[in-house]
Amino acid sequence: MFPTPIEKRSRAAQISYQTLIPIALIVWLLPLIAVAMFSIRPLTDFTNGNYWGLPSSFEFFTNYGRVFTDSDMPRYMWNSILITVPTVIGAVALSTMTGFALGIYRFRGNLLIFFMFIAGNFVPFQILMVPVRDLTLSVGLYDTKMGLVMFHIAFQTGFCTLFMRNFIRALPFELIEAARVEGVKEWRIFWFVVLPLMRPALAALAVLIFTFIWNDYFWAIVLTQGPDAQPVTAGITQFNSQFIAQYHLMSAGSIVAAIPPVLMFFLMQKHFIAGLTLGAVK
Amino acid sequence: MSTAVANPSWLQRNKMTVTPLMFLLPGVLFFLVYVINPIIQSFNISLYEWDGLGTATYIGLGNYTELFDDRAFEISLWNNLKWLALYLLAIPAGLLIALFLNQNVVGIRIYKSLFFFPFVISQVVVGLVFSWFYLPREGLLNAVITLFGFEPINVLGDPTMATYGIIAAGLWPQTAYCMILYLTGLNAVDPEQIEAGRLDGAKGIRMLWHIILPQLRPATFIAFVVTIIGALRSFDLISVMTNGGPFGTTRVLSFYMFEKALSEYGFRMGYGSAIAVVLFLIMLVFIGYFLWSMYREERAARR
């Protein structure tokens, strides 16, 4: 292990390491801690200039309650769910199929199609913006959740294919050959042999895509407007102009908007990190 | 030979070609419609003067020649370079934190997750969090620096500082990402090589440079890819924190393109597309390099 394990060092080194970690963590999370502290203060603290002293009262429930009762926040959150979940299902389904095709079969153009997916996944959004907005308008999906979902599925298929194909490549190929010798049909190999082995990849991709899509802001403002279809990332700016300069409410609102992916991460940590770091180890 | 298999159907004979095609079809179709074709269309639109509604007039390379005299374009381009250069700091910073946290003490897993989780927060919220952190009166940054006797600063209101303030906000989640890549990489470092290095008297920095880093190459490669893409994609933070200001000093190409094509500065789809094409070509240099590296790996893996 590198660096040298701390338990092999002197007692003093161990103690200073143990005290240093929490301090480093607090410094690292300082901006976030500040926002969390803002979000439980009453408005009077801000008018009195009491930004960093003890809160004059603990207003956690009032502030967070108002986020849900006095604004469009619940609608935006619900929109985010209705955009994110179908995208996750669609992108994972499509890319399991493309990944299977590119990972198992040898045919001309295999690598070319694979590289098309990778390259497309790295492209700047702005080169797609005008035509995609136009297309969405012309099929009548502008300012709908469906319009966003369709684009997200298509775009995420690039990254997901890269992921799935490499995962399938690492599976034992003998299993598939054995099934073929037995005369199993190709689509049954996909469904009954490969798919069950891909559960970890499916879980990892699902949490990753959930986070990516939940956090999307650019396409939300390009393809939608207003609380009918906009997800919470776009809604939060709306929320902030409603409660302008009321930092206790704006802080609470942002924390609410950020929570679902954070929750997802802490619940599915193993899969999340496995997905994010695929390829970081040979 | 029995007659049962004497005349297999066309489908039967070509199933090893037809099956992958069927599996590829939906994904490829989606990708062509929403990604590949729009790229080509953008190139085309960049040759027109078009407000997005009326008829488009062909003006050849007019939009591109206009870019040369556009001061705002020049500023955006420079800011993109700043983003690229400074964003790469996330890689050594991430490595540093990973080395710091790569221990086996009680509760280290929770520390690792807490160090990492800024990456999971949306850039919009990161932008808000940092713009409040920087607030001249209410912000924690000024509360801290005035404590040490410095004058309060208005990071986002000062044209010379604003871009750096936004980049710092972007470095926060990006460093977390690089950290997790390196933590995973460090986990897989060969302990025998470390022992061998120790026997040869390698320690500290020398050990890191000669024995650890070469084994971390895959992690470093991915860190480079995601950091460069992230730097050139920066949009959310700028939009949320300064909206391009003060006086347009924090614009980057991605943001300026959006302003020209879709915001109150008018609907100049052609000009916006020309900016997007420039950004795309910059990105293409990196994409080309990434693909080339991957191609070499594929070839090596096949042997």
Side-chain angles (χ1 to χ4, degrees):
Chain A
M1 205 163 134
F2 184 84
T4 313
I6 201 82
E7 57 269 23
K8 287 189 188 164
R9 311 271 295 263
S10 68
R11 187 93 192 99
Q14 287 181 34
I15 291 170
S16 49
Y17 183 72
Q18 296 274 17
T19 43
L20 207 58
I21 296 191
I23 296 171
L25 181 68
I26 289 170
V27 172
W28 180 245
L29 294 181
L30 208 55
L32 206 61
I33 294 168
V35 171
M37 278 163 64
F38 268 15
S39 76
I40 56 162
R41 284 177 181 279
L43 179 63
T44 49
D45 273 6
F46 293 92
T47 46
N48 295 336
N50 174 20
Y51 306 123
W52 304 112
L54 274 180
S56 60
S57 60
F58 179 72
E59 300 294 344
F60 174 86
F61 293 103
T62 353
N63 292 348
Y64 283 87
R66 283 192 65 192
V67 170
F68 285 97
T69 53
D70 291 7
S71 75
D72 278 330
M73 213 54 170
R75 285 180 75 186
Y76 288 122
M77 293 287 271
W78 183 234
N79 287 345
S80 275
I81 293 171
L82 291 181
I83 292 163
T84 307
V85 173
T87 304
V88 169
I89 296 170
V92 169
L94 285 187
S95 62
T96 312
M97 286 161 48
T98 51
F100 175 72
L102 295 173
I104 299 289
Y105 298 90
R106 283 187 162 212
F107 56 93
R108 272 180 50 195
N110 181 318
L111 214 53
L112 197 74
I113 296 176
F114 182 50
F115 278 9
M116 173 193 82
F117 279 120
I118 303 176
N121 160 57
F122 288 147
V123 146
F125 294 149
Q126 284 70 22
I127 193 92
L128 312 177
M129 188 187 95
V130 174
V132 166
R133 184 174 171 275
D134 237 33
L135 174 69
T136 308
L137 269 168
S138 67
V139 292
L141 288 177
Y142 181 75
D143 198 21
T144 63
K145 294 182 258 311
M146 191 61 185
L148 266 178
V149 169
M150 295 288 278
F151 172 77
H152 282 319
I153 290 179
F155 193 80
Q156 293 304 326
T157 299
F159 170 74
C160 296
T161 300
L162 165 68
F163 188 95
M164 287 297 193
R165 184 265 193 188
N166 284 349
F167 190 90
I168 290 175
R169 263 289 155 96
L171 293 178
F173 194 67
E174 302 81 51
L175 272 175
I176 292 144
E177 281 184 323
R180 278 186 186 148
V181 171
E182 297 282 318
V184 182
K185 285 201 178 73
E186 295 296 312
W187 69 268
R188 290 178 66 95
I189 293 179
F190 170 72
W191 193 258
F192 292 108
V193 180
V194 174
L195 210 53
L197 293 172
M198 293 187 53
R199 273 199 210 118
L202 296 174
L205 258 191
V207 283
L208 277 186
I209 300 304
F210 180 92
T211 317
F212 292 165
I213 300 305
W214 187 281
N215 291 342
D216 164 68
Y217 174 68
F218 181 75
W219 292 103
I221 59 172
V222 168
L223 297 182
T224 56
Q225 48 186 1
D228 285 337
Q230 275 195 328
V232 72
T233 40
I236 188 75
T237 53
Q238 213 54 48
F239 179 89
N240 286 347
S241 49
Q242 184 187 341
F243 296 105
I244 201 147
Q246 304 189 46
Y247 291 110
H248 57 309
L249 292 179
M250 295 201 289
S251 306
S254 328
I255 288 180
V256 167
I259 274 183
V262 171
L263 221 66
M264 196 59 130
F265 163 68
F266 278 105
L267 290 177
M268 308 273 288
Q269 220 181 111
K270 206 185 82 199
H271 291 300
F272 192 97
I273 290 174
L276 212 54
T277 55
L278 185 89
V281 181
K282 277 276 160 53
Chain B
M1 266 281 155
S2 68
T3 46
V5 285
N7 264 328
S9 68
W10 180 86
L11 208 67
Q12 204 78 77
R13 271 180 287 126
N14 292 289
K15 71 170 182 183
M16 294 310 268
T17 325
V18 176
T19 319
L21 282 182
M22 297 312 283
F23 273 105
L24 275 173
L25 199 65
V28 169
L29 216 63
F30 256 77
F31 210 68
L32 286 177
V33 170
Y34 270 106
V35 182
I36 305 300
N37 187 44
I39 296 174
I40 301 161
Q41 274 182 301
S42 276
F43 269 88
N44 186 36
I45 295 170
S46 75
L47 304 176
Y48 288 84
E49 182 74 61
W50 185 39
D51 63 2
L53 294 167
T55 46
T57 354
Y58 181 79
I59 53 167
L61 293 176
N63 286 321
Y64 293 93
T65 47
E66 192 182 334
L67 282 179
F68 279 103
D69 301 320
D70 188 344
R71 181 89 181 99
F73 174 76
E74 198 186 317
I75 292 172
S76 309
L77 202 57
W78 270 113
N79 280 339
N80 263 125
L81 285 179
K82 285 182 199 164
W83 270 88
L84 261 181
L86 293 174
Y87 228 48
L88 288 174
L89 290 176
I91 297 172
L95 177 62
L96 208 72
I97 300 178
L99 289 172
F100 176 63
L101 291 179
N102 195 33
Q103 293 289 350
N104 262 329
V105 297
V106 184
I108 195 72
R109 286 192 50 190
I110 298 163
Y111 280 115
K112 285 177 187 169
S113 338
L114 287 173
F115 265 92
F116 173 69
F117 96 98
F119 176 75
V120 187
I121 301 171
S122 80
Q123 297 248 312
V124 174
V125 176
V126 170
L128 290 171
V129 165
F130 269 81
S131 43
W132 297 331
F133 182 69
Y134 291 144
L135 280 175
R137 216 153 44 91
E138 299 91 340
L140 185 56
L141 179 68
N142 278 320
V144 172
I145 62 173
T146 47
L147 207 67
F148 290 98
F150 291 102
E151 286 294 303
I153 49 172
N154 182 4
V155 178
L156 298 179
D158 183 336
T160 57
M161 270 193 287
T163 288
Y164 301 107
I166 302 174
I167 295 174
L171 278 174
W172 191 49
Q174 194 63 33
T175 303
Y177 192 175
C178 295
M179 175 204 82
I180 208 77
L181 288 171
Y182 278 124
L183 274 176
T184 313
L186 282 170
N187 235 337
V189 165
D190 181 10
E192 278 177 24
Q193 287 198 38
I194 298 179
E195 265 326 296
R198 289 222 168 96
L199 290 179
D200 287 342
K203 263 174 37 184
I205 300 282
R206 280 173 55 89
M207 171 83 97
L208 178 68
W209 188 257
H210 292 290
I211 293 167
I212 308 296
L213 275 184
Q215 294 190 61
L216 291 177
R217 272 198 64 161
T220 307
F221 177 71
I222 297 183
F224 257 103
V225 174
V226 294
T227 304
I228 286 170
I229 301 292
L232 289 175
R233 274 210 182 137
S234 54
F235 174 90
D236 302 3
L237 289 174
I238 295 157
S239 169
V240 168
M241 292 174 79
T242 60
N243 205 17
F247 317 115
T249 48
T250 55
R251 286 183 182 124
V252 292
L253 290 181
S254 63
F255 185 79
Y256 186 48
M257 181 275 171
F258 177 81
E259 260 189 345
K260 277 291 170 192
L262 270 192
S263 77
E264 68 259 45
Y265 292 89
F267 280 63
R268 295 194 60 194
M269 301 290 176
Y271 196 57
S273 295
I275 301 169
V277 166
V278 172
L279 179 61
F280 175 74
L281 293 178
I282 297 172
M283 203 87 115
L284 206 56
V285 176
F286 294 105
I287 296 175
Y289 169 70
F290 300 152
L291 287 184
W292 184 67
S293 314
M294 285 177 176
Y295 180 68
R296 274 192 326 184
E297 236 168 69
E298 282 293 321
R299 292 263 310 265
R302 203 160 278 183
R303 253 177 244 137

